[in-house]
Amino acid sequence: MSPAEFWSIGELAEHAGVTVKTVRFYSDRGLLPEAGRSSGGHRRYGPEALERLRLIRSLRTLDLPVPEVGRLLEQDEVLGDALEDAVARQLRELGSQLTALRWREAALRLLHDCPPQERADRLALIGGLSTPPDTTALARFWRRMLPPRMPAGLTASILDAAVPQPPADPTPGQVLAFARLHALSLGGCSGRGHGPNEKARTNRDHRPTVLYQGLEGAYALASAELSAGRAPHRGEALDGFVDAHAASWSTRDTPAFRTRLSALLTITDDPVIGRYWELAGELTGPGETTLGAAHTWLRTALDEQLTSEGPTAPESWMPLPPALVAATAEAGPAG
């Protein structure tokens, strides 16, 4: 091209339908190469600059940051994998922003529609959340509750099941449930523990890893029963539940053990855990089964069996582990 065919910065801006300031901005950042300079030192651009400028504007329309645009323009194939990755990142970021906006809207509706006397308490609860909210506090709560030295894989599996994920498009009620769940998790437990009580959790005769590995299958079966709308009853789910507890005490499932187990579960009921599962149920909504609901189903099935058959005195059967007997001595037989 002859010098006469080069465009000035103003001419390029006119061809592209942008301002001179825009052309200068991208030129100064090295995104828009110059074809040369005039004898007076003014910038000159070739027709290829127009195509590059249009590409830059298209990428910026996607709200890609200028540094990201620069990295894309350095690729041999601008419209190849690099652009696909950049668009995917942008979609994830946009999704996070939209979720945050939906949570903010639901929180505002919660405050707008609640009775005036409740507004201060709800505002304090909401103020403790990030937007979008995260579940770090809930995971820490369960790490404190679970027995120490559990296998990492088993702990991760329990956390996945026990920590409900915040919905992407919550109702005001779900915002309130999560805010209360978050506050409860920060407050910690009542000290009575989940499952075996503190004495059982620290007793060397008790094997919590065996317990929680067995409970995983029992809870899955109970969840299926719940989803099908079946009332608590004897069957595979309850047998798996009792077997898990029996194996953790190195004993076997007998009528005497079921009596002791019912008593143990009664004295280790934790109101904080109960409230946690109540709020988790409000957060997940109908159609979703929590571990707490599965545990209650199994507890009810066990107690109804003992009620219908009558409790069995442990002394009539094989000796039970002393630690289990000691843990239930103050409660006596259940049923």
Side-chain angles (χ1 to χ4, degrees):
M1 292 179 62
S2 65
E5 294 176 295
F6 289 145
W7 293 331
S8 68
I9 190 171
E11 290 170 333
L12 176 59
E14 183 178 355
H15 279 87
V18 299
T19 65
V20 170
K21 183 178 179 181
T22 297
V23 176
R24 184 176 291 113
F25 175 83
Y26 292 128
S27 291
D28 290 343
R29 279 154 183 77
L31 303 185
L32 196 60
E34 302 170 12
R37 294 266 177 164
S38 68
S39 57
H42 299 294
R43 307 177 201 225
R44 288 290 183 264
Y45 301 90
E48 69 278 0
L50 178 59
E51 181 180 350
R52 172 65 73 93
L53 184 54
R54 286 172 174 165
L55 178 56
I56 292 171
R57 292 190 66 202
S58 296
L59 293 172
R60 290 290 289 147
T61 299
L62 300 175
D63 206 27
L64 294 177
V66 172
E68 185 79 52
V69 172
R71 285 190 290 271
L72 288 173
L73 294 175
E74 292 173 358
Q75 307 294 319
D76 293 333
E77 287 288 338
V78 177
L79 302 181
D81 292 342
L83 177 60
E84 184 179 347
D85 292 342
V87 170
R89 285 193 296 272
Q90 198 68 6
L91 282 172
R92 289 193 295 271
E93 183 178 339
L94 182 60
S96 180
Q97 293 172 358
L98 289 173
T99 299
L101 287 173
R102 294 187 187 109
W103 272 82
R104 195 171 302 161
E105 179 187 19
L108 288 170
R109 292 190 182 280
L110 176 66
L111 292 173
H112 181 270
D113 297 339
C114 76
Q117 62 271 22
E118 297 180 11
R119 196 159 291 147
D121 289 340
R122 292 190 178 185
L123 181 60
L125 284 170
I126 293 170
L129 300 179
S130 60
T131 51
D134 67 64
T135 57
T136 301
L138 279 63
R140 287 176 179 166
F141 171 82
W142 279 105
R143 288 186 185 278
R144 294 195 303 270
M145 296 295 285
L146 290 173
R149 295 180 295 280
M150 292 266 284
L154 180 58
T155 297
S157 177
I158 294 171
L159 292 180
D160 285 343
V163 177
Q165 294 304 307
D169 190 7
T171 64
Q174 287 174 317
V175 170
L176 181 59
F178 187 84
R180 286 172 170 165
L181 198 58
H182 182 267
L184 181 146
S185 298
L186 291 176
C189 60
S190 66
R192 298 175 66 182
H194 175 53
N197 65 0
E198 193 63 28
K199 184 183 295 185
R201 290 174 65 195
T202 57
N203 193 289
R204 285 179 295 179
D205 295 333
H206 187 250
R207 299 181 295 168
T209 296
V210 174
L211 171 63
Y212 285 98
Q213 286 172 337
L215 288 179
E216 192 171 10
Y219 286 158
L221 291 171
S223 295
E225 297 283 357
L226 275 165
S227 297
R230 299 189 184 99
H233 60 87
R234 280 199 71 169
E236 186 179 2
L238 178 58
D239 290 346
F241 179 72
V242 177
D243 283 343
H245 282 278
S248 73
W249 289 103
S250 299
T251 187
R252 62 186 180 88
D253 179 7
T254 66
F257 180 81
R258 293 198 176 205
T259 298
R260 283 291 191 190
L261 178 59
S262 178
L264 176 64
L265 295 174
T266 297
I267 64 175
T268 58
D269 274 342
D270 189 332
V272 175
I273 293 294
R275 179 58 173 159
Y276 179 99
W277 290 124
E278 179 184 346
L279 292 170
E282 293 177 13
L283 179 66
T284 56
E288 296 290 335
T289 302
T290 66
L291 285 184
H295 183 77
T296 299
W297 191 96
L298 290 162
R299 283 283 314 278
T300 304
L302 175 61
D303 291 344
E304 288 184 354
Q305 178 208 339
L306 293 174
T307 299
S308 63
E309 298 178 0
T312 302
E315 291 72 21
S316 302
W317 299 84
M318 64 175 289
L320 296 175
L324 176 59
V325 176
T328 57
E330 61 184 273

